[in-house]
Amino acid sequence: MELSLKLRFYLLDVSYEIHSGIPVILLWAVAEDGRRVLVLDRGFRPYFYAILSEDVSEQEVVSRIKLLSKGDSPIIGVEVTTRRYYGKPVKVAKIATVKPEAVREYREAVKKVRGVIDVLEADIRFSMRYVLDNDVTPCQWYEADVEPIEGVTGYRVNSVYSLVDKLKPLDRAIPPRLRVLALDIEVYNPRGATDPSRDPIIVIALANSEGEVRILTASDGPTPQDRELLKGFVNYVLTYDPDIVVGYNSNRYDLPYLVERANKLGIVLDIGRVRGGIPRPSVHGHYSIPGRLHVDIYNFAEELPEVKIKSLDVVAEYLGIMKRSERVLIPGHEIYRYWDDKSKRKTLLDYARDDVVSTLRLSEKFLPFAMQLSSLTGLPLDQVGAASVGYRLEWYLMRAATKMGELIPNRIEREYEPYRGAIVLEPRKGVHENIAVLDFTSMYPNIMIKYNIGPDTFVEGECSNCYIIPGLGYAFRKEPPGFYKSVLETLLKLRKAVREEMRKYPADSPEYRVLDERQRALKVLANASYGYMGWVGARWYFRQGAEAVTALGRETIKKAVELAEKLGLEVIYGDTDSLFVTNKSEVQKFIDEVMRVLELEIKVDKVYRRVFFTEAKKRYVGLTEDGRADIVGFEAVRGDWSEIAKEVQENVARIVLETGSVGKAVEYVRSVVQELRQLKVPMEKLVIWKTLTKSLEEYEVSAPHVTAAKRLISAGFKVEKGDKIGYIVTRGAGSVSSRAVPYFMAKPSEIDVDYYIKHQVIPAALRILEYFGVTEKQLEVASRAGRTLFDFR
C-alpha cells in the first residue's frame, strides 16, 4: 500500500462518475508545482431528508422507509437526527443510497410514507451536495492527505490521487498560472442560416494565454472540406491542454456547432480531460467540457446594462480592448463570400483573428470576478456565469444554511404576487449646478439586518419583542438573529475585512486585484438579497419580507430628506436609495447625521457640475466633474433607437450642459439633419435593433422588427425567440413596418431619410431641447435663437 502524502492544490472543478456501481467524486485541480492533477474521493454517498411527524413513532417510519430499498442502489442508511427548518427544530430522517440518480425515485416513494411530512434536499446535484457538505468550493487553494494511484487510464492529467482525509483550506489568494484558450468559429453560410448537418466550418481561430494565435482553416474543394480542420482542432486542444476554454456566445453557437458538425462527419470531438470527453449541454444552459472549464464570456457581457448591443466588437470597444475602427468587421451574412473570393480570404482570417483575440482579452477582464463568484457560491466557474444572479446568491445561501444546520427548502412554482416598490421623489424641474448624488451603502441588506427580516423571524399575531413595520403592521422577532440577518452580516463583514486587507497592497499588485474582485463579488451577492427574497423562483421566497424592506426603504428616504432640509440642503431628487442634494459644506454634516439618527451609512457617489431634470421621474441628464454625460430615462438608453439617434441625444446633452448654449445644440442637430439628407451618415448608424420577445407566430401586429425577421426567414436565415433583429427603414408607400428591411439587405439609395430625421434624430434631440422652448421646426430650419442654458434655470 502506498504511503500517503500531503498535496497542495488549487481546485478547478468538482464532478462525479460511477465506477463499478459506486459514485466517485472527481476533484480537478492544479498542484502548487504546476501539475494538472485529479483527486478521487470514493467515500461520499447521496442522501436526502424526510421531515418526520411527531404523531408517528420514528422507529415505525424508519422501518417503512427501509422497506423501500431495492435494486442496484439500495437504501444504505436511515439516520434520525435534528435540523432547523425556517429556524425551528425539526426531527428528520437522513436517507442515504448508493447512486445519485436513485435519489429522485426514492424521494417520490418516501413522500408517500405515513409519518413523513415533507421531503427536502432531494433536488441537489450530487457534485454540489459534496461542495455543500464538505465546504469545498472551486477556485480556492486546499491541502489534503492523498495516496498516488498508478496505472490509471482514462484521464488526461499528470497524476491521479485517492483522497485519504478531508480537504483543508489554505490561506492563499492568488491562483496559479492557468492555461486559457479562446476559440471562435466561422461557418460557410451561402444559405444565410447555418446548419451543422450541411454547412462546413471554414475557420477555427484560437488564442491562448501564452500569446499564441492559431488560425485553422478548411481545405478547398467544390465546397469547403472541414474534416481535417476538426481533427486539427482536437489535436491542438489536447496538445495545449487548457484549464479554461472561453468563447463569446459559445454556449449557444460555437460549441454546439462543433459537436454537431463533428458528429455529422463521424469525428469524436474528444477535447476533455476525460478520454471520450465530448462537450455536452448541462445545467443553466451552459456547455460542459469534462475536466475543463468552459466559460462563455457573453454571459458576463449581458450584465453590462450600459451596453445595449452585446456584439463582440461593441463590447470589446466599450471595455477598451479593441476599437471597432481599428479591427476588421465583416457582415455576418457575407462570411461565405470572403471565403469563396480568395482575394478577400485574408480579410476573413484577420476578422477571425480580431474576434478570438478580443474574446481572450475580454476573458482577462471577466474571469477574475467570475473566479471570486465561484469561490463564494460554490458554483463551478463554467456554471457561475450562465447562472442568474438569483441562483448565484441561492447557492451562497445554501452553503450558509448547511453550515448552520438549517434545512434547504425545495424550489416550488408560485404565482407572482405584486407589492409596492421603492420610493421615487418628484424631481425639481430645470437646470441645477453643483449637485451631489448621495447613495446609501447597501441600504436594503442593512435594513434586512437592522430589522431582522426573514421568513424565520416573521410573527403572525401579537408580539411583545418585535419590530413592527410602519404602514404594514408586519412583525419581525428581534432575537435571535434570523437566517437572512446572519448571512448578510457575514457577507458585509467579509467585504469590510477584504477592503481592509486591500489597503496592505499597492493598487497594481496581483493581491490587490484579486481582493478587489472578491469585495465586488461580495457586494453583488449582498445587494441581490432583497430582490432574491421577492423572486418567486427562490427557495427562500418571502413576499412579506420583500414588502417590508421596500416600506422601510421609503421611510428611510423620507427621514433622510427631513434631515437634509433641517441642515439647509435642498433635495433636488431621490430614487430608491439615492438622494440628489445641493453640494454645500453641510453635506458632510448630513452624512454624519444620517449615520447618527438612521444608523445607516450614506456617502457621496458623484458630483454633477450641472444636471437637468424634466418633470418626469427617472429622467435626467447630468455632466459629471470629469466631463462625462450621464443620460437617464431618455431614448439614449433605449435599445430600439438607432445609433445616430443615441449619438445625437448624447451630444445635445453634452453641448447644452458644457457650453450653456441651446443655440449651439440646435445648430449641431441641424448639421446632422444635413448629413442625413446628403447620405453622409454611415449605414451602420441607422440600424435599429429590437429583440424578438416571443416567437413570430405569437405577434398579432407586425412590428418593424417582426417584418424584418420574416424577411430573414424567407432568405433562408434561422430566426428564434430572443434574437436581436437589426433593420433599416426604406423609402416607399405603406406603414413603417412594411418598409423595414434587414440591415444588410438595404442599399444606401433606399434609405427613408425623412423617417430618420422626423422619427429618430429630431425626437431624440427634442426630448431634451423641448424643455428649453426649442421646436421641431427650429431643428430643421436655421436657428435665430441666441438663448443660453441659463435662461431656463
Side-chain angles (χ1 to χ4, degrees):
M1 180 177 161
E2 294 278 357
L3 291 173
S4 68
L5 56 90
K6 287 209 183 294
L7 181 71
R8 291 186 179 90
F9 57 86
Y10 186 81
L11 185 61
L12 293 174
D13 196 8
V14 181
S15 59
Y16 82 94
E17 291 178 339
I18 302 293
H19 292 180
S20 305
I22 301 296
V24 178
I25 290 289
L26 277 57
L27 303 169
W28 302 92
V30 179
E32 65 179 347
D33 59 7
R35 288 176 303 125
R36 272 54 187 177
V37 299
L38 176 61
V39 180
L40 306 180
D41 187 346
R42 295 187 172 92
F44 191 66
R45 295 292 177 267
Y47 69 88
F48 62 99
Y49 291 106
I51 300 178
L52 306 182
S53 167
E54 297 289 340
D55 303 333
V56 180
S57 96
E58 63 185 57
Q59 204 51 53
E60 191 181 326
V61 179
V62 168
S63 299
R64 285 177 185 150
I65 291 171
K66 285 180 176 176
L67 286 172
L68 300 171
S69 183
K70 61 180 181 179
D72 60 353
S73 184
I75 290 174
I76 56 174
V78 183
E79 176 195 350
V80 176
T81 183
T82 302
R83 288 286 185 274
R84 287 203 308 277
Y85 191 40
Y86 289 106
K88 293 173 183 169
V90 289
K91 193 185 293 180
V92 293
K94 181 181 177 182
I95 303 151
T97 183
V98 178
K99 292 185 177 178
E101 54 268 29
V103 168
R104 189 177 295 110
E105 190 178 335
Y106 281 129
R107 171 184 66 188
E108 297 309 312
V110 170
K111 273 183 187 176
K112 297 171 184 171
V113 170
R114 195 170 75 84
V116 170
I117 296 171
D118 202 357
V119 168
L120 298 175
E121 303 195 15
D123 58 350
I124 297 170
R125 298 191 317 279
F126 183 58
S127 57
M128 294 305 293
R129 176 83 268 173
Y130 184 88
V131 165
L132 292 173
D133 282 32
N134 293 278
D135 196 20
V136 168
T137 62
C139 299
Q140 291 272 34
W141 283 97
Y142 293 95
E143 178 183 85
D145 290 329
V146 298
E147 291 176 353
I149 307 176
E150 301 299 336
V152 177
T153 58
Y155 303 112
R156 297 183 175 108
V157 292
N158 301 114
S159 305
V160 181
Y161 298 96
S162 178
L163 187 68
V164 174
D165 202 357
K166 284 187 177 291
L167 277 62
K168 300 177 187 69
L170 293 173
D171 188 18
R172 289 189 189 178
I174 300 172
R177 185 172 176 79
L178 299 175
R179 294 195 287 262
V180 181
L181 176 66
L183 68 84
D184 181 76
I185 69 170
E186 306 301 338
V187 176
Y188 192 67
N189 60 343
R191 294 176 180 83
T194 55
D195 182 342
S197 68
R198 176 190 68 201
D199 300 312
I201 298 167
I202 47 179
V203 180
I204 301 178
L206 302 162
N208 67 35
S209 47
E210 276 63 50
E212 180 186 26
V213 179
R214 183 77 62 89
I215 309 295
L216 308 178
T217 58
S219 307
D220 280 315
T223 58
Q225 302 297 307
D226 56 349
R227 178 179 294 274
E228 294 307 312
L229 166 65
L230 283 163
K231 287 181 179 177
F233 168 66
V234 171
N235 185 56
Y236 183 90
V237 174
L238 297 184
T239 303
Y240 177 61
D241 190 27
D243 303 299
I244 303 172
V245 175
V246 298
Y248 196 85
N249 201 28
S250 47
N251 277 327
R252 285 184 62 183
Y253 189 74
D254 301 68
L255 271 187
Y257 204 97
L258 282 163
V259 171
E260 290 176 45
R261 184 63 187 162
N263 190 46
K264 169 70 178 173
L265 297 175
I267 295 167
V268 180
L269 202 77
D270 180 11
I271 60 172
R273 279 187 172 147
V274 177
R275 293 189 190 278
I278 299 169
R280 58 180 185 265
S282 189
V283 293
H284 304 299
H286 85 284
Y287 254 71
S288 172
I289 303 175
R292 307 190 197 279
L293 294 163
H294 165 233
V295 180
D296 188 343
I297 300 302
Y298 180 75
N299 294 142
F300 294 96
E302 281 189 301
E303 294 174 13
L304 297 171
E306 57 274 36
V307 182
K308 297 304 165 187
I309 306 302
K310 300 296 197 298
S311 62
L312 174 57
D313 53 305
V314 171
V315 172
E317 181 174 60
Y318 175 77
L319 292 174
I321 284 164
M322 191 179 290
K323 290 183 178 176
R324 294 180 79 244
S325 59
E326 295 174 3
R327 60 151 297 162
V328 175
L329 291 170
I330 295 176
H333 65 288
E334 292 189 7
I335 295 289
Y336 78 99
R337 295 184 192 276
Y338 282 76
W339 177 265
D340 288 343
D341 185 342
K342 289 190 179 176
S343 68
K344 289 183 175 182
R345 195 174 288 182
K346 183 182 181 302
T347 304
L348 173 62
L349 302 186
D350 288 343
Y351 167 72
R353 177 183 295 267
D354 287 345
D355 269 2
V356 80
V357 168
S358 294
T359 300
L360 182 67
R361 290 184 184 165
L362 281 173
S363 78
E364 291 165 2
K365 295 269 188 187
F366 288 119
L367 280 179
F369 174 66
M371 290 163 82
Q372 292 304 319
L373 272 179
S374 178
S375 75
L376 286 165
T377 61
L379 280 169
L381 191 63
D382 57 349
Q383 296 175 30
V384 79
S388 67
V389 174
Y391 279 122
R392 293 172 192 169
L393 175 63
E394 185 160 274
W395 277 106
Y396 184 86
L397 294 173
M398 288 165 75
R399 286 188 62 214
T402 304
K403 287 181 197 174
M404 295 161 63
E406 186 81 28
L407 288 166
I408 297 167
N410 292 324
R411 180 174 289 112
I412 59 175
E413 288 189 17
R414 304 177 180 89
E415 291 289 323
Y416 174 69
E417 300 175 278
Y419 57 89
R420 191 178 167 198
I423 192 170
V424 183
L425 303 178
E426 294 289 337
R428 302 276 177 95
K429 182 182 171 184
V431 180
H432 306 274
E433 291 190 295
N434 200 20
I435 297 297
V437 182
L438 293 144
D439 277 359
F440 280 92
T441 305
S442 301
M443 179 199 262
Y444 284 171
N446 277 309
I447 285 173
M448 290 169 71
I449 290 169
K450 183 177 176 181
Y451 294 95
N452 202 21
I453 290 172
D456 53 339
T457 59
F458 183 58
V459 177
E460 295 189 73
E462 292 297 314
C463 178
S464 58
N465 191 33
C466 281
Y467 295 108
I468 308 299
I469 308 305
L472 295 173
Y474 293 159
F476 293 93
R477 198 180 58 239
K478 291 183 178 180
E479 294 292 340
F483 176 60
Y484 272 116
K485 177 174 180 172
S486 301
V487 172
L488 287 170
E489 278 185 329
T490 304
L491 269 174
L492 297 182
K493 279 177 188 170
L494 272 174
R495 183 170 182 239
K496 190 175 182 181
V498 170
R499 288 164 71 89
E500 287 292 323
E501 186 71 11
M502 285 167 64
R503 294 180 183 177
K504 298 177 184 176
Y505 301 99
D508 58 353
S509 66
E511 291 87 351
Y512 184 95
R513 287 196 291 270
V514 168
L515 290 166
D516 191 32
E517 295 296 351
R518 191 165 186 81
Q519 69 86 17
R520 192 160 71 90
L522 286 162
K523 179 182 178 181
V524 166
L525 290 173
N527 287 342
S529 55
Y530 150 73
Y532 172 81
M533 191 163 50
W535 170 44
V536 291
R539 290 178 187 270
W540 280 277
Y541 170 72
F542 184 46
R543 180 191 59 79
Q544 293 95 328
E547 195 175 9
V549 171
T550 53
L552 289 164
R554 293 191 299 270
E555 195 71 19
T556 299
I557 289 290
K558 286 176 187 172
K559 287 178 180 174
V561 169
E562 289 170 11
L563 290 173
E565 289 173 346
K566 277 181 188 173
L567 290 168
L569 291 170
E570 187 182 0
V571 178
I572 305 300
Y573 180 58
D575 184 357
T576 309
D577 59 356
S578 298
L579 287 175
F580 291 58
V581 302
T582 46
N583 189 23
K584 296 177 181 176
S585 57
E586 287 80 7
V587 165
Q588 186 55 51
K589 286 183 194 171
F590 171 62
I591 290 171
D592 296 339
E593 196 69 359
V594 166
M595 180 69 85
R596 185 184 70 80
V597 177
L598 301 180
E599 298 175 338
L600 291 170
E601 185 182 349
I602 194 169
K603 61 187 180 191
V604 176
D605 178 50
K606 65 180 83 171
V607 174
Y608 287 122
R609 280 157 45 190
R610 289 199 190 103
V611 64
F612 158 62
F613 281 99
T614 71
E615 76 283 354
K617 296 176 179 181
K618 294 182 181 288
R619 186 176 293 167
Y620 60 90
V621 181
L623 188 70
T624 61
E625 290 182 304
D626 60 3
R628 190 169 39 84
D630 280 349
I631 300 176
V632 177
F634 291 91
E635 280 76 7
V637 295
R638 275 177 42 182
D640 55 345
W641 282 69
S642 63
E643 192 60 41
I644 192 65
K646 297 173 190 175
E647 187 180 288
V648 163
Q649 190 174 75
E650 188 168 329
N651 286 335
V652 164
R654 187 173 285 109
I655 290 166
V656 295
L657 290 175
E658 276 182 353
T659 69
S661 171
V662 176
K664 283 182 181 176
V666 170
E667 290 305 319
Y668 161 71
V669 178
R670 291 187 63 254
S671 73
V672 174
V673 169
Q674 284 296 102
E675 286 182 2
L676 271 166
R677 293 202 186 283
Q678 294 163 11
L679 300 181
K680 288 182 179 177
V681 175
M683 274 187 70
E684 60 260 30
K685 289 190 178 182
L686 305 179
V687 180
I688 301 166
W689 293 91
K690 187 83 174 172
T691 302
L692 288 171
T693 55
K694 45 192 175 184
S695 56
L696 287 178
E697 55 271 18
E698 290 181 81
Y699 282 95
E700 294 176 12
V701 179
S702 224
H705 69 299
V706 175
T707 303
K710 288 175 179 175
R711 285 182 167 144
L712 282 171
I713 290 170
S714 299
F717 287 81
K718 187 178 178 183
V719 175
E720 297 176 338
K721 177 184 173 181
D723 287 349
K724 274 190 181 291
I725 307 297
Y727 66 90
I728 280 178
V729 178
T730 57
R731 287 184 287 106
S735 66
V736 171
S737 292
S738 67
R739 294 183 281 117
V741 173
Y743 70 95
F744 54 83
M745 295 182 183
K747 297 174 184 173
S749 59
E750 298 172 339
I751 295 167
D752 186 345
V753 171
D754 284 338
Y755 169 82
Y756 282 93
I757 291 170
K758 292 181 178 177
H759 298 283
Q760 290 277 320
V761 169
I762 287 179
L766 278 179
R767 296 293 276 173
I768 294 171
L769 292 177
E770 67 183 350
Y771 292 94
F772 305 114
V774 175
T775 64
E776 181 177 341
K777 192 173 180 182
Q778 280 178 281
L779 295 179
E780 294 190 66
V781 183
S783 170
R784 292 178 293 279
R787 291 180 292 177
T788 72
L789 181 68
F790 300 101
D791 295 322
F792 303 93
R793 291 164 70 98

